[in-house]
Amino acid sequence: MVIKLKKQVIDVLKNLKDKKSDCLASELASELNLDYIVVMSAINDLSDAGLGGFKEEQIEQISLNAEGQSYGKNELPEEKLLSIIKKGKLKEMSVKDLLEKSKLDEKIFYIGLTNMKKNRWVAQSKASGEDKVFIITEEFPKTELKKFMEKILDNNNVLDYSGLSKEEIIQFNILNKRKLIKRERRTQRIIYLTDKGKKINLSNVSELKQESKITAEMLSSGSWKDYEFKPFDVSKPGPLLKGGKIHPVINLINEIREIFISLGFTEIRGPIVESAFFNFDALFQPQDHPARELHDTFYLSNPKVAKLPNKDRVIAVKETHENGGDSGSLGWGYEWDENIAKKTLLRTHTTATTIRRLAQYYENNDISPIKVFSIDRVFRNEKVDKSHLAEFMQIEGIVIGEDVTLCDLIGVISEFYKKIGFEKIITRPGFFPYTEPSMEISVYYDKLGEWMEMGGSGIFRPEVTYPWGIKNPTRVLAWGLGLERLAMLKFGRKDIRDLYINPINWLRRESY
Ligand code: PHE
């Protein structure tokens, strides 16, 4: 029976038959002047025909790095220093002169000096008042280190680590400490012929004219009839598409949006430029609260003052701060200043947006239940580093309902995290000036086996809801969760800035 094989495959087969032994794929590639990939694909064809195959072996190779190669070919720093002293036919020299003459970088000079002493070529002494080196031997045989370096270079700058002698391992360790050598693990492929391959008579093998593409020329000349066309392998991955794609963070935002919508929520948006009133005052945050300081909040000079809601609502908020108003609280007991509430700022949390929804609830005479969420940008005056950004996104939401409880709140939040891929969440008591009780939320991150903090939540205090006419038994469950933290876990990024500086390789892999 005649077997048809491509030309390179026949070449590889012939070569292996002549060799009568197994050989390294890389060696055969250089011998036949073929690409490694071509040889491996030929072996695959031989293996399909039952004529050959390959096995893999892990090896560790060592080779000198650029600096090591140059020392091996020329002089190690200690050799260079020695030549300088010898050249001057000197027996001694001051360290300062030697350093100057050598023109070596100081660090390398001292490495050389130390090794000259280790080799017992010179001694160093300050006895004469000057720091000097003295030659203390007459013979300078080639060091074991240099011999070893030359051996590596003579072998095309690679040696098999497992083939090193005990003495050579000592020299390897010295070179490794001096950062002149690398040790790399590699997979090496050994190719062989099967018995059938060894026995096959080459006269039973003929050349297969195979093409992968049909050309216009083949069509017009009719030569396509002489060719066999390579079948498509639909199991192989196609080329990576590098066109425009949706950014992974946008995909994640859309996924989160879908989840809340599927849970019956409606999306709300609010202004980025906010009043201190909605960002802080309506959240019962006292006007001297540290979070209001410039180092936490970006205040704006233009527009300088914000419009406040209807006078009666402003007064209701003012009274809760001063004496608790009708909320049953004692308030903070200070004189509330409307001008501070009118300051403009970049919102520091999207809780400002949910309070706007409470104001609307009052104005529209809405009825509960109401479930809304927002995924939006907030700003804080923070130093940017691998875990902090000065502008980031929050996943915020509220449920306004009669007799809703903390269990409902935990339920919504765990359902959300479950849908996004985190099965386990834990809630711990927390503190926010506007919720009581308050909870911190963490999710369990399998890959690290750690709990990661994700955000805060709680039930809005009466001081927050009463000014908007939301009174017992109607309550407001609220939460604010970090988006970027979640994105980092989902995408396995260790640096939060990666999400916005757009590392191109990551985007190509992650986007779709
Ligand atoms: N606003 C809080 C933050 O930015 C989160 C939060 C929202 C806490 C709603 C409780 C209720 O960290």
Side-chain angles (χ1 to χ4, degrees):
M1 196 188 79
V2 174
I3 298 184
K4 281 191 158 193
L5 294 171
K6 277 177 275 180
K7 183 168 179 313
Q8 307 97 297
V9 183
I10 297 176
D11 288 348
V12 168
L13 177 64
K14 266 190 198 153
N15 192 291
L16 283 172
K17 276 176 98 63
D18 291 348
K19 269 205 177 64
K20 297 196 167 60
S21 70
D22 299 355
C23 80
L24 287 176
S26 53
E27 273 170 20
L28 190 67
S30 59
E31 219 171 283
L32 294 178
N33 207 6
L34 289 174
D35 269 355
Y36 183 74
I37 297 196
V38 174
V39 169
M40 285 316 294
S41 122
I43 290 299
N44 276 329
D45 285 6
L46 286 179
S47 146
D48 287 346
L51 302 175
F54 70 92
K55 44 184 189 255
E56 290 189 334
E57 221 177 62
Q58 298 292 332
I59 50 156
E60 272 191 297
Q61 285 185 330
I62 59 168
S63 49
L64 295 171
N65 62 19
E67 191 184 357
Q69 287 178 47
S70 132
Y71 291 161
K73 285 181 203 145
N74 310 306
E75 287 178 313
L76 280 151
E78 55 268 35
E79 292 170 326
K80 178 165 187 175
L81 297 180
L82 182 69
S83 326
I84 294 171
I85 306 175
K86 282 184 12 192
K87 222 182 264 159
K89 302 217 165 27
L90 299 169
K91 280 270 169 226
E92 57 176 71
M93 199 165 175
S94 82
V95 171
K96 204 172 131 252
D97 280 356
L98 188 55
L99 170 62
E100 241 161 60
K101 280 233 170 69
S102 74
K103 299 200 181 69
L104 286 177
D105 173 83
E106 239 186 271
K107 211 174 113 206
I108 294 179
F109 172 80
Y110 283 106
I111 295 174
L113 185 60
T114 308
N115 283 296
M116 275 208 291
K117 291 190 281 182
K118 266 195 197 148
N119 292 345
R120 301 193 186 287
W121 293 342
V122 299
Q124 187 176 3
S125 160
K126 285 186 191 162
S128 65
E130 205 181 359
D131 194 3
K132 283 186 174 177
V133 287
F134 303 83
I135 293 212
I136 53 168
T137 174
E138 307 209 315
E139 308 261 315
F140 303 94
K142 195 178 274 183
T143 58
E144 292 305 317
L145 189 75
K146 186 68 176 221
K147 283 189 207 157
F148 181 53
M149 292 171 94
E150 286 174 354
K151 176 173 171 185
I152 303 172
L153 290 175
D154 285 347
N155 201 45
N156 278 329
N157 194 25
V158 275
L159 281 185
D160 210 344
Y161 184 80
S162 66
L164 298 186
S165 68
K166 260 196 190 146
E167 173 59 34
E168 285 170 337
I169 289 180
I170 296 174
Q171 303 309 328
F172 168 81
N173 288 335
I174 296 173
L175 290 171
N176 197 25
K177 239 197 200 144
R178 289 180 74 170
K179 297 204 169 64
L180 301 176
I181 201 159
K182 356 180 241 254
R183 175 173 168 182
E184 282 164 329
R185 209 181 283 279
R186 276 201 22 214
T187 306
Q188 139 175 308
R189 301 201 169 92
I190 299 156
I191 54 185
Y192 58 84
L193 291 182
T194 59
D195 286 343
K196 186 177 165 196
K198 284 179 193 152
K199 279 187 212 133
I200 195 167
N201 193 332
L202 284 176
S203 59
N204 288 335
V205 179
S206 74
E207 194 182 327
L208 169 71
K209 280 193 168 178
Q210 197 181 42
E211 281 294 323
S212 50
K213 278 189 195 119
I214 195 161
T215 63
E217 197 270 316
M218 287 177 189
L219 285 174
S220 60
S221 70
S223 70
W224 61 270
K225 290 183 204 130
D226 303 335
Y227 290 93
E228 193 164 308
F229 289 92
K230 214 172 164 181
F232 282 118
D233 182 351
V234 289
S235 67
K236 289 276 179 325
L240 194 62
L241 289 181
K242 291 184 186 164
K245 295 178 189 176
I246 296 174
H247 193 282
V249 173
I250 299 284
N251 276 326
L252 180 63
I253 290 173
N254 286 337
E255 202 181 323
I256 295 169
R257 199 170 262 146
E258 292 280 328
I259 292 174
F260 279 108
I261 288 171
S262 78
L263 293 174
F265 283 76
T266 314
E267 184 166 5
I268 55 170
R269 306 286 305 256
I272 285 172
V273 173
E274 215 8 309
S275 60
F277 181 84
F278 279 116
N279 198 80
F280 296 125
D281 294 281
L283 283 157
F284 198 50
Q285 237 158 304
Q287 293 189 323
D288 62 357
H289 193 282
R292 295 202 186 208
E293 299 284 323
L294 264 177
H295 55 75
D296 284 321
T297 303
F298 291 114
Y299 284 95
L300 301 177
S301 48
N302 181 21
K304 203 165 181 57
V305 285
K307 246 176 72 187
L308 297 188
N310 280 342
K311 195 86 205 153
D312 60 338
R313 291 309 93 203
V314 176
I315 289 170
V317 168
K318 171 187 164 78
E319 280 176 355
T320 37
H321 277 245
E322 291 184 348
N323 53 42
D326 64 353
S327 69
S329 156
L330 295 176
W332 295 112
Y334 71 100
E335 199 175 318
W336 188 80
D337 182 348
E338 187 170 315
N339 291 322
I340 294 180
K342 276 187 177 160
K343 283 192 187 174
T344 52
L345 47 80
L346 297 179
R347 71 174 164 217
T348 63
H349 51 186
T350 40
T351 319
T353 299
T354 49
I355 296 297
R356 282 184 176 271
R357 184 63 187 87
L358 300 192
Q360 208 184 353
Y361 181 89
Y362 179 83
E363 237 170 69
N364 298 353
N365 257 322
D366 277 342
I367 38 169
S368 64
I370 282 184
K371 304 200 281 186
V372 294
F373 74 98
S374 90
I375 309 169
D376 233 330
R377 188 153 291 223
V378 301
F379 303 81
R380 285 187 202 167
N381 198 350
E382 296 230 35
K383 209 171 146 272
V384 173
D385 62 28
K386 72 196 250 288
S387 41
H388 295 92
L389 293 170
E391 50 175 296
F392 54 97
M393 308 278 292
Q394 287 188 322
I395 309 164
E396 187 97 17
I398 49 171
V399 173
I400 312 178
E402 246 175 64
D403 286 328
V404 285
T405 65
L406 208 60
C407 288
D408 297 310
L409 178 59
I410 297 173
V412 173
I413 296 172
S414 4
E415 193 60 26
F416 162 67
Y417 279 115
K418 203 180 283 171
K419 286 186 184 248
I420 204 93
F422 294 88
E423 288 288 328
K424 282 201 254 174
I425 77 159
I426 197 172
T427 56
R428 281 177 301 191
F431 174 79
F432 300 98
Y434 33 96
T435 46
E436 181 60 37
S438 306
M439 291 189 305
E440 268 166 17
I441 318 265
S442 302
V443 303
Y444 190 71
Y445 184 51
D446 285 343
K447 282 198 190 135
L448 289 179
E450 270 175 30
W451 291 97
M452 309 283 275
E453 209 176 303
M454 284 293 166
S457 65
I459 300 183
F460 276 152
R461 301 173 68 102
E463 291 94 328
V464 174
T465 62
Y466 272 49
W468 313 105
I470 300 170
K471 301 184 178 177
N472 213 6
T474 304
R475 289 189 202 119
V476 182
L477 313 177
W479 60 89
L481 312 166
L483 174 87
E484 283 81 2
R485 270 281 173 92
L486 186 64
M488 284 166 80
L489 299 188
K490 283 220 66 138
F491 305 135
R493 304 308 298 180
K494 294 204 178 73
D495 189 327
I496 197 166
R497 293 167 292 196
D498 283 357
L499 301 173
Y500 299 111
I501 59 173
N502 296 330
I504 193 72
N505 286 331
W506 168 57
L507 292 182
R508 281 189 179 142
R509 264 185 289 117
E510 196 74 51
S511 310
Y512 45 88

mmCIF file of all heavy atoms in Angstrom, residues 348-351 354 380 392 394 396-397 432 434-435 438-439 455-460 478-481, ligand 1:
data_model
loop_
_atom_site.group_PDB
_atom_site.id
_atom_site.type_symbol
_atom_site.label_atom_id
_atom_site.label_comp_id
_atom_site.label_asym_id
_atom_site.label_seq_id
_atom_site.Cartn_x
_atom_site.Cartn_y
_atom_site.Cartn_z
ATOM 1 N N THR A 348 -19.613 61.966 47.210
ATOM 2 C CA THR A 348 -18.638 61.019 47.769
ATOM 3 C C THR A 348 -19.233 59.626 47.860
ATOM 4 O O THR A 348 -18.523 58.662 48.101
ATOM 5 C CB THR A 348 -18.178 61.447 49.170
ATOM 6 O OG1 THR A 348 -19.310 61.428 50.047
ATOM 7 C CG2 THR A 348 -17.584 62.845 49.150
ATOM 8 N N HIS A 349 -20.533 59.517 47.720
ATOM 9 C CA HIS A 349 -21.179 58.198 47.658
ATOM 10 C C HIS A 349 -22.517 58.352 46.915
ATOM 11 O O HIS A 349 -23.085 59.447 46.862
ATOM 12 C CB HIS A 349 -21.384 57.570 49.040
ATOM 13 C CG HIS A 349 -22.060 58.460 50.045
ATOM 14 N ND1 HIS A 349 -22.221 58.119 51.356
ATOM 15 C CD2 HIS A 349 -22.628 59.687 49.941
ATOM 16 C CE1 HIS A 349 -22.847 59.078 52.005
ATOM 17 N NE2 HIS A 349 -23.112 60.040 51.180
ATOM 18 N N THR A 350 -22.997 57.251 46.369
ATOM 19 C CA THR A 350 -24.257 57.338 45.639
ATOM 20 C C THR A 350 -25.453 57.295 46.591
ATOM 21 O O THR A 350 -26.600 57.346 46.153
ATOM 22 C CB THR A 350 -24.371 56.219 44.576
ATOM 23 O OG1 THR A 350 -23.859 55.013 45.124
ATOM 24 C CG2 THR A 350 -23.608 56.572 43.325
ATOM 25 N N THR A 351 -25.177 57.223 47.887
ATOM 26 C CA THR A 351 -26.270 57.317 48.855
ATOM 27 C C THR A 351 -26.983 58.672 48.678
ATOM 28 O O THR A 351 -28.189 58.788 48.929
ATOM 29 C CB THR A 351 -25.742 57.107 50.295
ATOM 30 O OG1 THR A 351 -24.791 56.047 50.268
ATOM 31 C CG2 THR A 351 -26.844 56.736 51.255
ATOM 32 N N THR A 354 -29.754 58.043 46.364
ATOM 33 C CA THR A 354 -30.925 57.345 46.916
ATOM 34 C C THR A 354 -31.736 58.292 47.802
ATOM 35 O O THR A 354 -32.960 58.189 47.864
ATOM 36 C CB THR A 354 -30.531 56.054 47.672
ATOM 37 O OG1 THR A 354 -29.489 56.338 48.572
ATOM 38 C CG2 THR A 354 -30.082 54.985 46.731
ATOM 39 N N ARG A 380 -13.573 60.669 45.780
ATOM 40 C CA ARG A 380 -13.011 60.937 47.104
ATOM 41 C C ARG A 380 -11.575 61.397 46.955
ATOM 42 O O ARG A 380 -10.850 60.918 46.096
ATOM 43 C CB ARG A 380 -13.068 59.696 47.992
ATOM 44 C CG ARG A 380 -14.481 59.456 48.471
ATOM 45 C CD ARG A 380 -14.607 58.352 49.474
ATOM 46 N NE ARG A 380 -15.998 57.886 49.449
ATOM 47 C CZ ARG A 380 -16.424 56.779 50.018
ATOM 48 N NH1 ARG A 380 -15.592 56.018 50.681
ATOM 49 N NH2 ARG A 380 -17.689 56.434 49.940
ATOM 50 N N PHE A 392 -14.368 56.268 41.662
ATOM 51 C CA PHE A 392 -14.699 54.855 41.529
ATOM 52 C C PHE A 392 -16.208 54.696 41.497
ATOM 53 O O PHE A 392 -16.941 55.692 41.522
ATOM 54 C CB PHE A 392 -14.053 54.049 42.662
ATOM 55 C CG PHE A 392 -14.361 54.549 44.048
ATOM 56 C CD1 PHE A 392 -15.374 53.976 44.795
ATOM 57 C CD2 PHE A 392 -13.639 55.590 44.603
ATOM 58 C CE1 PHE A 392 -15.653 54.424 46.081
ATOM 59 C CE2 PHE A 392 -13.920 56.053 45.888
ATOM 60 C CZ PHE A 392 -14.928 55.473 46.627
ATOM 61 N N GLN A 394 -19.928 52.876 42.676
ATOM 62 C CA GLN A 394 -20.647 52.171 43.742
ATOM 63 C C GLN A 394 -21.915 51.529 43.198
ATOM 64 O O GLN A 394 -22.558 52.055 42.295
ATOM 65 C CB GLN A 394 -21.016 53.135 44.867
ATOM 66 C CG GLN A 394 -19.808 53.546 45.688
ATOM 67 C CD GLN A 394 -20.188 54.336 46.914
ATOM 68 O OE1 GLN A 394 -21.100 55.157 46.870
ATOM 69 N NE2 GLN A 394 -19.489 54.098 48.010
ATOM 70 N N GLU A 396 -25.356 50.805 44.428
ATOM 71 C CA GLU A 396 -26.159 51.286 45.551
ATOM 72 C C GLU A 396 -27.596 50.843 45.356
ATOM 73 O O GLU A 396 -28.047 50.632 44.223
ATOM 74 C CB GLU A 396 -26.081 52.817 45.542
ATOM 75 C CG GLU A 396 -26.697 53.497 46.718
ATOM 76 C CD GLU A 396 -25.692 53.866 47.804
ATOM 77 O OE1 GLU A 396 -24.467 53.878 47.513
ATOM 78 O OE2 GLU A 396 -26.133 54.128 48.927
ATOM 79 N N GLY A 397 -28.327 50.740 46.437
ATOM 80 C CA GLY A 397 -29.734 50.417 46.254
ATOM 81 C C GLY A 397 -30.520 50.639 47.523
ATOM 82 O O GLY A 397 -29.952 50.697 48.626
ATOM 83 N N PHE A 432 -22.521 53.486 60.272
ATOM 84 C CA PHE A 432 -22.699 54.626 59.366
ATOM 85 C C PHE A 432 -23.616 55.590 60.101
ATOM 86 O O PHE A 432 -24.532 55.145 60.800
ATOM 87 C CB PHE A 432 -23.318 54.188 58.037
ATOM 88 C CG PHE A 432 -22.481 53.188 57.312
ATOM 89 C CD1 PHE A 432 -22.768 51.835 57.391
ATOM 90 C CD2 PHE A 432 -21.369 53.579 56.565
ATOM 91 C CE1 PHE A 432 -21.971 50.890 56.773
ATOM 92 C CE2 PHE A 432 -20.567 52.646 55.944
ATOM 93 C CZ PHE A 432 -20.872 51.302 56.041
ATOM 94 N N TYR A 434 -25.977 57.160 59.175
ATOM 95 C CA TYR A 434 -27.349 57.210 58.662
ATOM 96 C C TYR A 434 -28.115 55.917 58.753
ATOM 97 O O TYR A 434 -29.255 55.843 58.332
ATOM 98 C CB TYR A 434 -27.351 57.723 57.211
ATOM 99 C CG TYR A 434 -26.133 57.321 56.403
ATOM 100 C CD1 TYR A 434 -26.150 56.213 55.568
ATOM 101 C CD2 TYR A 434 -24.970 58.076 56.487
ATOM 102 C CE1 TYR A 434 -25.017 55.855 54.838
ATOM 103 C CE2 TYR A 434 -23.827 57.721 55.762
ATOM 104 C CZ TYR A 434 -23.860 56.614 54.953
ATOM 105 O OH TYR A 434 -22.750 56.266 54.254
ATOM 106 N N THR A 435 -27.472 54.834 59.237
ATOM 107 C CA THR A 435 -28.204 53.568 59.337
ATOM 108 C C THR A 435 -28.140 53.027 60.759
ATOM 109 O O THR A 435 -27.188 53.282 61.505
ATOM 110 C CB THR A 435 -27.615 52.508 58.387
ATOM 111 O OG1 THR A 435 -26.201 52.522 58.531
ATOM 112 C CG2 THR A 435 -27.982 52.762 56.956
ATOM 113 N N SER A 438 -26.407 48.815 61.329
ATOM 114 C CA SER A 438 -25.549 48.914 60.141
ATOM 115 C C SER A 438 -24.764 47.607 59.998
ATOM 116 O O SER A 438 -24.424 46.993 60.999
ATOM 117 C CB SER A 438 -24.537 50.041 60.298
ATOM 118 O OG SER A 438 -25.184 51.239 60.608
ATOM 119 N N MET A 439 -24.510 47.257 58.736
ATOM 120 C CA MET A 439 -23.776 46.006 58.499
ATOM 121 C C MET A 439 -22.676 46.214 57.478
ATOM 122 O O MET A 439 -22.874 46.886 56.473
ATOM 123 C CB MET A 439 -24.708 44.948 57.895
ATOM 124 C CG MET A 439 -25.765 44.421 58.813
ATOM 125 S SD MET A 439 -26.602 43.022 58.049
ATOM 126 C CE MET A 439 -27.164 43.651 56.499
ATOM 127 N N GLY A 455 -18.504 46.390 51.163
ATOM 128 C CA GLY A 455 -19.264 47.624 51.317
ATOM 129 C C GLY A 455 -20.111 47.622 52.567
ATOM 130 O O GLY A 455 -19.949 46.762 53.436
ATOM 131 N N GLY A 456 -21.007 48.626 52.629
ATOM 132 C CA GLY A 456 -21.821 48.804 53.824
ATOM 133 C C GLY A 456 -23.298 48.744 53.504
ATOM 134 O O GLY A 456 -23.716 48.816 52.347
ATOM 135 N N SER A 457 -24.086 48.603 54.573
ATOM 136 C CA SER A 457 -25.518 48.538 54.386
ATOM 137 C C SER A 457 -26.201 48.777 55.728
ATOM 138 O O SER A 457 -25.530 48.869 56.756
ATOM 139 C CB SER A 457 -25.904 47.166 53.860
ATOM 140 O OG SER A 457 -25.612 46.193 54.852
ATOM 141 N N GLY A 458 -27.501 48.860 55.699
ATOM 142 C CA GLY A 458 -28.224 49.021 56.955
ATOM 143 C C GLY A 458 -29.650 49.472 56.701
ATOM 144 O O GLY A 458 -30.118 49.501 55.558
ATOM 145 N N ILE A 459 -30.335 49.796 57.798
ATOM 146 C CA ILE A 459 -31.689 50.341 57.682
ATOM 147 C C ILE A 459 -31.590 51.822 58.017
ATOM 148 O O ILE A 459 -30.992 52.192 59.044
ATOM 149 C CB ILE A 459 -32.644 49.617 58.664
ATOM 150 C CG1 ILE A 459 -32.659 48.112 58.317
ATOM 151 C CG2 ILE A 459 -34.038 50.222 58.609
ATOM 152 C CD1 ILE A 459 -33.605 47.282 59.163
ATOM 153 N N PHE A 460 -32.087 52.675 57.124
ATOM 154 C CA PHE A 460 -31.966 54.117 57.363
ATOM 155 C C PHE A 460 -32.599 54.485 58.699
ATOM 156 O O PHE A 460 -33.692 54.014 59.047
ATOM 157 C CB PHE A 460 -32.643 54.920 56.250
ATOM 158 C CG PHE A 460 -31.765 55.125 55.029
ATOM 159 C CD1 PHE A 460 -32.355 55.277 53.767
ATOM 160 C CD2 PHE A 460 -30.383 55.214 55.129
ATOM 161 C CE1 PHE A 460 -31.574 55.491 52.637
ATOM 162 C CE2 PHE A 460 -29.587 55.423 54.004
ATOM 163 C CZ PHE A 460 -30.185 55.557 52.760
ATOM 164 N N ALA A 478 -30.952 49.884 52.883
ATOM 165 C CA ALA A 478 -30.012 50.560 51.975
ATOM 166 C C ALA A 478 -28.668 49.855 51.956
ATOM 167 O O ALA A 478 -28.267 49.246 52.940
ATOM 168 C CB ALA A 478 -29.829 52.005 52.432
ATOM 169 N N TRP A 479 -27.977 49.949 50.808
ATOM 170 C CA TRP A 479 -26.618 49.393 50.717
ATOM 171 C C TRP A 479 -25.807 50.162 49.694
ATOM 172 O O TRP A 479 -26.361 50.807 48.803
ATOM 173 C CB TRP A 479 -26.639 47.910 50.350
ATOM 174 C CG TRP A 479 -27.308 47.636 49.031
ATOM 175 C CD1 TRP A 479 -26.738 47.605 47.799
ATOM 176 C CD2 TRP A 479 -28.705 47.385 48.825
ATOM 177 N NE1 TRP A 479 -27.675 47.337 46.846
ATOM 178 C CE2 TRP A 479 -28.893 47.203 47.448
ATOM 179 C CE3 TRP A 479 -29.805 47.289 49.697
ATOM 180 C CZ2 TRP A 479 -30.144 46.941 46.897
ATOM 181 C CZ3 TRP A 479 -31.054 47.028 49.149
ATOM 182 C CH2 TRP A 479 -31.208 46.846 47.760
ATOM 183 N N GLY A 480 -24.512 50.102 49.897
ATOM 184 C CA GLY A 480 -23.586 50.721 48.941
ATOM 185 C C GLY A 480 -22.367 49.821 48.855
ATOM 186 O O GLY A 480 -21.671 49.615 49.839
ATOM 187 N N LEU A 481 -22.123 49.246 47.657
ATOM 188 C CA LEU A 481 -21.074 48.238 47.514
ATOM 189 C C LEU A 481 -20.059 48.701 46.485
ATOM 190 O O LEU A 481 -20.387 49.435 45.555
ATOM 191 C CB LEU A 481 -21.698 46.911 47.062
ATOM 192 C CG LEU A 481 -22.937 46.454 47.848
ATOM 193 C CD1 LEU A 481 -23.667 45.343 47.122
ATOM 194 C CD2 LEU A 481 -22.541 46.019 49.244
HETATM 195 N N1 PHE B 1 -22.428 55.121 51.663
HETATM 196 C C1 PHE B 1 -21.675 54.075 52.261
HETATM 197 C C2 PHE B 1 -20.251 54.131 51.683
HETATM 198 O O1 PHE B 1 -20.001 54.870 50.781
HETATM 199 C C3 PHE B 1 -22.260 52.716 51.997
HETATM 200 C C4 PHE B 1 -23.653 52.567 52.574
HETATM 201 C C5 PHE B 1 -24.760 52.796 51.784
HETATM 202 C C6 PHE B 1 -23.811 52.187 53.902
HETATM 203 C C7 PHE B 1 -26.029 52.663 52.314
HETATM 204 C C8 PHE B 1 -25.061 52.026 54.425
HETATM 205 C C9 PHE B 1 -26.160 52.254 53.617
HETATM 206 O O2 PHE B 1 -19.341 53.439 52.141
#
